[in-house]
């Protein structure tokens, strides 16, 4: 017997996993997405996302990643799907206090994970491909990996359907009801009724909830894939992350599925309209990023750009998540502000949503949006 009907809007990492966990717990779930799970314009689009344990000393996030690691590994095995690929990572800091790493260490140790400071001479010996000239400290995290992003969303949706869940490709255009959502209306002319509604609409969240506008920003995140020169040894290089002054962060995956050397940035400077803006290469961003990667990996000088993808961040002003009741609607929940670090957390988010609905277990206080009422400008989630 069904525990009740639930509509989940958005089949990205957060909505898809929420729908799966709720269906698994005995609810009758309909998952609605306007363009398909992990489509190319969504936050969960593209090939890969990193999963790593270090979270700057935050207990809430450390607990969530620990759970996510376990659930990714569990479901990859249960479903016979190779969505998680392990590769160690190197954290590099340029002229700044490595507090993000050092504060992570005790919380990680408690859970049996390792993040060791590593002497720069040792780094130079292990990875002669890296120019360490201006790096002041480095840390090594052996258990890190990358997850297949778009493909994982499609797999989660398929597994959700195997449990009896219903998937509908349509766009939700409005909500009906006062105090409670009675139904959502779709572009395709449907009126979908349920007991509970979950909204995980990523960069489109503000279309249904314009009141989020002051606290959510949607930004342009370009990802580049460079051809690696022969004998560069990318397969032996770790995933790397580099923190610089001004809360700037860059990271990459060498030998990315044999499709080149992936480079991405964590700056949130360039706003993006997720539907209307051009998603091609922006020359000034490309030039800035190419200079950064060539400085760090000199053999990439003049490397051909094999592929490019413009993705979107949907960030809260402090870069932390928002998970709470949707305004005055007692039976509706919003999940947003995944802020460029939400993909890995999909399974943990799904489990938290399921426990929130089934057991009335509150979301962490840290995820309430009222914390942002006095926040004037964007800060980075890597600020500690
Ligand atoms: C370049 C880049 C690198 C990243 N790197 C990492 C990383 O290394 N590790 C990590 O953990 N995270 C990373 N992230 C962040 C992560 O990808 C996102 O936090 C996560 O994918 C967001 O998932 P979501 O489900 O909230 O949103 P989305 O994936 O955007 O899903 C929202 C879905 O809702 C649907 N939708 C919206 N409105 C409606 C509507 N009205 N009706 C029906 N459907 C609707 C959309 O079609 C979409 O499919 C990165 C993000 C980017 C862009």
């Amino acid at each position: 017997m069904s525990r009740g009907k639930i509509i989940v809007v958005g089949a990205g990492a957060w909505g898809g996993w929420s729908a799966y966990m709720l269906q698994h717990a005995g609810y009758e779930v309909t998952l609605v997405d306007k363009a398909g799970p992990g489509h190319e314009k969504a936050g969960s689009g593209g090939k890969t996302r990193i999963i790593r344990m270090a979270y700057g000393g935050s207990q809430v996030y450390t607990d969530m990643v620990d759970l996510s690691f376990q659930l990714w590994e569990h479901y990859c095995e249960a479903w016979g799907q190779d969505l998680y690929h392990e590769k160690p990572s190197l954290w590099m800091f340029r002229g700044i206090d490595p507090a993000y790493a050092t504060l992570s260490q005790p919380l990680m140790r408690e859970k049996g994970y390792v993040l060791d400071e590593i002497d720069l001479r040792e780094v130079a010996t292990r990875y002669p491909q890296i120019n360490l000239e201006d790096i002041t400290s480095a840390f090594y995290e052996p258990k890190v990996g990358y997850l297949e992003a778009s493909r994982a969303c499609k797999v989660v949706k398929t597994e959700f359907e195997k449990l009896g869940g219903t998937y509908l490709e349509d766009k939700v255009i409005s909500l009906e009801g006062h105090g409670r959502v009675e139904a959502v209306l779709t572009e395709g002319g449907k009126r979908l009724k349920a007991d509970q509604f979950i909204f995980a609409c990523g960069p489109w969240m503000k279309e249904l909830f314009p009141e989020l506008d002051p606290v959510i920003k949607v930004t342009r995140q370009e990802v580049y894939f460079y051809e690696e020169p022969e004998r560069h040894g990318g397969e032996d290089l770790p995933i790397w992350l580099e923190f610089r002054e001004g809360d700037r962060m860059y990271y990459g995956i060498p030998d990315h599925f044999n499709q080149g050397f992936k480079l991405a940035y964590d700056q949130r400077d360039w706003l993006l309209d997720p539907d209307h803006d051009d998603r091609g290469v922006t020359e000034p961003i490309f030039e800035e990023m190419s200079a950064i990667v060539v400085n760090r990996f000199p053999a990439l000088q003049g490397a051909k750009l094999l592929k490019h993808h413009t993705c979107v961040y949907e960030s809260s002003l402090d870069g932390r998540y928002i998970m709470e009741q949707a305004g005055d609607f007692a039976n509706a929940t919003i999940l947003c502000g995944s802020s460029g670090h939400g993909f890995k957390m999909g399974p943990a988010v799904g489990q938290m949503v399921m426990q929130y609905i089934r057991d009335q277990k509150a979301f962490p206080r840290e995820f309430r949006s009222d914390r942002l009422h006095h926040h004037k400008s964007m800060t980075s989630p890597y600020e500690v």
Side-chain angles (χ1 to χ4, degrees):
M1 234 229 351
S2 157
R3 285 173 177 269
K5 283 191 177 185
I6 302 185
I7 307 272
V8 178
V9 185
W14 282 19
W17 275 104
S18 300
Y20 178 84
M21 294 292 186
L22 287 162
Q23 184 71 32
H24 191 261
Y27 292 91
E28 192 184 330
V29 183
T30 300
L31 175 62
V32 189
D33 198 290
K34 60 180 182 171
H39 63 90
E40 64 166 5
K41 287 191 168 180
S44 305
K47 189 83 178 159
T48 51
R49 297 290 186 275
I50 296 171
I51 178 164
R52 36 93 189 172
M53 191 66 193
Y55 247 99
S58 159
Q59 189 68 61
V60 169
Y61 288 105
T62 306
D63 291 345
M64 283 179 78
V65 202
D66 182 32
L67 177 61
S68 294
F69 259 121
Q70 294 172 38
L71 293 174
W72 278 111
E73 285 173 337
H74 167 78
Y75 283 108
C76 283
E77 199 182 327
W79 298 338
Q81 294 283 352
D82 197 9
L83 300 168
Y84 164 70
H85 306 266
E86 206 158 285
K87 191 170 174 72
S89 80
L90 182 70
W91 295 69
M92 295 182 278
F93 293 83
R94 189 181 91 152
I96 56 166
D97 181 356
Y100 195 83
T102 51
L103 290 171
S104 303
Q105 286 173 316
L107 300 188
M108 289 173 66
R109 213 174 295 124
E110 251 173 48
K111 293 187 179 291
Y113 295 81
V114 174
L115 178 66
D116 282 332
E117 180 150 18
I118 165 169
D119 189 276
L120 292 177
R121 282 165 304 193
E122 167 77 17
V123 180
T125 310
R126 271 197 222 172
Y127 307 119
Q129 302 97 320
I130 307 179
N131 167 27
L132 294 164
E133 191 175 274
D134 45 1
I135 294 296
T136 41
S137 58
F139 293 75
Y140 184 74
E141 188 178 352
K143 186 176 166 64
V144 176
Y146 49 95
L147 300 158
E148 293 189 42
S150 174
R151 189 165 87 79
C153 295
K154 292 174 175 59
V155 169
V156 171
K157 177 245 179 197
T158 302
E159 294 297 330
F160 159 75
E161 289 179 307
K162 283 188 198 164
L163 293 178
T166 304
Y167 173 74
L168 173 69
E169 198 142 309
D170 204 344
K171 179 177 176 180
V172 169
I173 48 173
S174 61
L175 283 61
E176 247 184 35
H178 295 285
R180 290 182 65 76
V181 179
E182 297 303 334
V184 289
L185 306 182
T186 73
E187 202 168 60
K190 292 200 163 51
R191 183 171 180 273
L192 304 173
K193 292 179 72 176
D195 304 305
Q196 292 279 345
F197 296 81
I198 315 287
F199 297 91
C201 302
W204 295 274
M205 202 69 187
K206 295 189 282 187
E207 287 182 2
L208 293 176
F209 300 96
E211 63 275 19
L212 289 169
D213 191 50
V215 296
I216 294 282
K217 300 286 167 233
V218 174
T219 55
R220 177 182 199 95
Q221 307 301 139
E222 296 195 17
V223 185
Y224 309 98
F225 300 83
Y226 299 91
E227 185 170 40
E228 285 196 271
E230 255 183 69
R231 290 189 292 280
H232 187 231
E235 64 281 9
D236 300 324
L237 281 169
I239 292 172
W240 59 278
L241 301 98
E242 177 178 335
F243 290 73
R244 290 190 176 190
E245 62 288 352
D247 287 316
R248 287 183 299 152
M249 200 268 264
Y250 309 95
Y251 61 96
I253 308 177
D255 188 42
H256 181 266
F257 281 100
N258 295 319
Q259 290 176 6
F261 185 107
K262 175 178 173 177
L263 168 74
Y265 55 83
D266 194 86
Q267 279 165 254
R268 292 144 205 254
D269 299 339
W270 300 287
L271 296 180
L272 177 80
D273 175 327
D275 289 315
H276 302 109
D277 281 350
D278 182 79
R279 296 230 186 180
V281 176
T282 310
E283 273 311 316
I285 304 180
F286 175 56
E287 277 168 28
E288 186 182 331
M289 297 307 146
S290 296
I292 281 161
V293 78
V294 166
N295 168 254
R296 194 62 61 223
F297 298 88
L300 293 182
Q301 177 76 47
K304 191 168 140 197
L305 185 64
L306 295 176
K307 215 169 81 175
H308 164 270
H309 173 66
T310 294
C311 192
V312 269
Y313 275 6
E314 173 252 344
S315 300
S316 67
L317 287 183
D318 62 0
R320 294 178 167 85
Y321 303 162
I322 296 174
M323 294 168 72
E324 62 183 7
Q325 179 181 313
D328 295 332
F329 296 116
N331 63 340
T333 306
I334 52 169
L335 309 174
C336 58
S338 65
S339 303
H341 57 105
F343 191 87
K344 67 176 95 51
M345 303 290 204
V349 168
Q351 182 149 312
M352 288 161 83
V353 170
M354 184 274 285
Q355 290 172 346
Y356 173 74
I357 303 278
R358 188 192 62 186
D359 310 330
Q360 284 86 54
K361 184 173 176 198
F363 292 123
R365 276 192 66 81
E366 288 91 330
F367 296 166
R368 281 168 40 171
S369 64
D370 56 7
R371 71 179 192 273
L372 298 167
H373 288 168
H374 301 292
H375 221 88
K376 290 272 179 289
S377 58
M378 286 281 284
T379 50
S380 159
Y382 300 104
E383 212 173 87
V384 285

